[in-house]
Amino acid sequence: MSSTVIARTRFSVLDRSRTREGHPPAEALRDTVALAREAEALGYHRFWVSEHHGVPGVAGSAPTVLAAAVASATRTIRVGTGGVMLPNHRPLVVAEQFGVLEALFPGRVDMGLGRSVGFTDGVRRALGRDKGDAEDFAAQLGELLDWFTGSSPTGVHARPSEGLTVPPFVLAMGEGAEIAARAGLPMVIGDLRNRERLLRGVDRYRTLFRPSPWAAEPYVVISGTIAVAGTEAEARRLLVPEAWSMAYSRTHGTFPPLAPAESVEARPMTAKERGFYESGLTGNLAGSGDQVAHELETVLKETGAEEVLVTTSSYDRPALLDSYRRLAALFAPGR
C-alpha cells in the first residue's frame, strides 16, 4: 500500500486553546489564531476550536467567538467548531451564531456539534444544565437544522441563518455515531488510541447511515493525537504535558494547564497517577515521518476515513508547529 491513501485524505486541525503554566489565558487564544494561519499555509483543510467551561487548562470557552477571530485572520481554510456542545445552548441561538459566521465568511464555516454537558457538577449548575440534558441531543440537533431550512414549528425565522448552508458534523461520543447516522450527517469520531472502539463506531455509523439533504453518503472524520518529530523519542516528548494533564484530571478532578515536559518527567507520581500518565503516552500516532506515515496508512485502511482531525496539544509551541509541518509534508509534499 502506498502513501497515495494519505495524499487523498483531508487533514484538519482541532486546537483546544490549551493554557500553559506561566502564560496567561489570552496568550493561548492568540496562539490558536497564529496556529490557524500556519495550518492554512501548510495545506490543512479545516481549523476547528473547542468549547470548555470552567477548566483551568483551556482558554476556549466561546467557540463561535473564537472561530470568528480565526476566520478573520485567515483567507481560505475552512473554520468551525469541534464542537459547540448543543445541550448547553438554545438551538435558535446556535443557529443565529453560525448564520452570522456564514454571512461574514461565506463558504468557509463548519458547524461541529457535540452532546457533552459541563465537566463538573459545579459547571453544570452554573450553565443551568444537568447530565440528563445530553439525552435530548437528537431532538436538539433536529431543532437546530430546522432553523436553517425555515421549517421550525414555532413559525419564528432565524436571521440571517435561514436559507444558508452551514455543514453540520456530529462529534460521536458514545451514542453519537448512531445519532449522526440516523440524521444523515458527517461524523467525527475518536480517539486513535482505542482502535477497536473506533472501528466499532465507524462500522455502526456506516451501517445505519440514512442519506439526508446535508449528506448523500457517510463521511467519516477520525480524530486524535498525532506527533511527528525527528525521532520517536522527540515525538513522544511532545505528548508528555497532555498525558500528565489527563492523569492529573483523572486523579484530582480538575484539568490543569500544560507543564513543560522536563518538569513533568521530574515530578514524583503516585502509582495511580503513573498508570494514567503512562496510558496517556501509549497508542497515539507518534514518531518520525516514516513511522507516522506507516501507522496512518494502517488506520486509514482500517477505517476508510475521508478525513483526519489532528488534536495534538503541547507546552513546547515551536516543537508543536514543527510536528504539524512534518505531518503536512506527508499529505502535501512540496507545499
Side-chain angles (χ1 to χ4, degrees):
M1 183 169 185
S2 73
S3 59
T4 53
V5 69
I6 295 176
R8 67 169 179 256
T9 302
R10 290 169 165 169
F11 282 78
S12 299
V13 177
L14 166 62
D15 191 66
R16 293 194 173 93
S17 306
R18 293 285 276 115
T19 58
R20 297 183 291 157
E21 280 186 4
H23 297 261
E27 188 175 332
L29 296 171
R30 286 193 291 269
D31 284 344
T32 291
V33 175
L35 180 60
R37 288 198 193 101
E38 293 282 357
E40 180 174 78
L42 290 169
Y44 285 89
H45 182 63
R46 308 178 206 277
F47 191 94
W48 283 6
V49 296
S50 64
E51 174 183 334
H52 294 272
H53 300 283
V55 180
V58 181
S61 54
T64 52
V65 176
L66 185 53
V70 168
S72 63
T74 53
R75 291 185 307 107
T76 56
I77 196 168
R78 295 195 65 85
V79 176
T81 55
V84 164
M85 295 303 146
L86 202 46
N88 291 338
H89 310 280
R90 293 301 310 159
L92 170 61
V93 176
V94 175
E96 289 171 338
Q97 290 173 348
F98 280 100
V100 168
L101 283 172
E102 176 62 24
L104 290 171
F105 308 102
R108 290 181 58 203
V109 176
D110 299 320
M111 187 164 59
L113 305 160
R115 65 194 292 267
S116 297
V117 285
F119 187 58
T120 64
D121 288 339
V123 170
R124 286 191 288 270
R125 281 196 301 274
L127 290 168
R129 298 292 185 267
D130 60 44
K131 285 183 176 178
D133 286 302
E135 303 309 312
D136 297 327
F137 180 67
Q140 294 158 353
L141 186 60
E143 184 183 336
L144 173 61
L145 299 181
D146 282 349
W147 290 116
F148 287 93
T149 57
S151 48
S152 168
T154 62
V156 176
H157 297 275
R159 311 287 188 207
S161 319
E162 191 174 305
L164 297 180
T165 300
V166 182
F169 293 73
V170 172
L171 276 59
M173 307 291 282
E175 297 166 33
E178 186 170 330
I179 292 170
R182 294 196 187 287
L185 299 180
M187 175 186 70
V188 182
I189 186 166
D191 68 42
L192 296 173
R193 291 184 305 161
N194 191 335
R195 202 63 57 81
E196 197 176 304
R197 187 178 173 201
L198 177 71
L199 292 172
R200 275 201 314 271
V202 169
D203 288 345
R204 186 162 180 75
Y205 169 70
R206 287 215 171 92
T207 301
L208 297 173
F209 185 86
R210 297 194 301 224
S212 75
W214 303 95
E217 52 194 30
Y219 189 92
V220 173
V221 184
I222 54 173
S223 71
T225 296
I226 302 176
V228 194
T231 67
E232 190 173 359
E234 289 172 325
R236 183 180 163 92
R237 195 169 173 79
L238 259 179
L239 307 179
V240 164
E242 189 72 64
W244 168 247
S245 284
M246 289 299 294
Y248 189 91
S249 74
R250 298 288 293 275
T251 51
H252 294 77
T254 185
F255 198 67
L258 295 171
E262 56 270 22
S263 84
V264 171
E265 291 167 336
R267 70 183 59 183
M269 298 183 197
T270 66
K272 195 172 183 182
E273 287 171 341
R274 173 71 60 183
F276 284 126
Y277 171 67
E278 294 291 349
S279 170
L281 290 174
T282 59
N284 299 294
L285 272 58
S288 66
D290 286 345
Q291 287 172 315
V292 169
H294 177 72
E295 290 185 57
L296 265 175
E297 286 174 358
T298 300
V299 72
L300 288 171
K301 184 179 180 182
E302 288 175 347
T303 60
E306 283 78 18
E307 188 168 340
V308 178
L309 183 67
V310 187
T311 63
T312 313
S313 298
S314 192
Y315 182 92
D316 186 338
R317 298 297 299 186
L320 179 64
L321 180 55
D322 182 62
S323 174
Y324 276 115
R325 285 192 184 120
R326 289 172 183 267
L327 178 58
L330 300 182
F331 68 82
R335 195 178 163 103

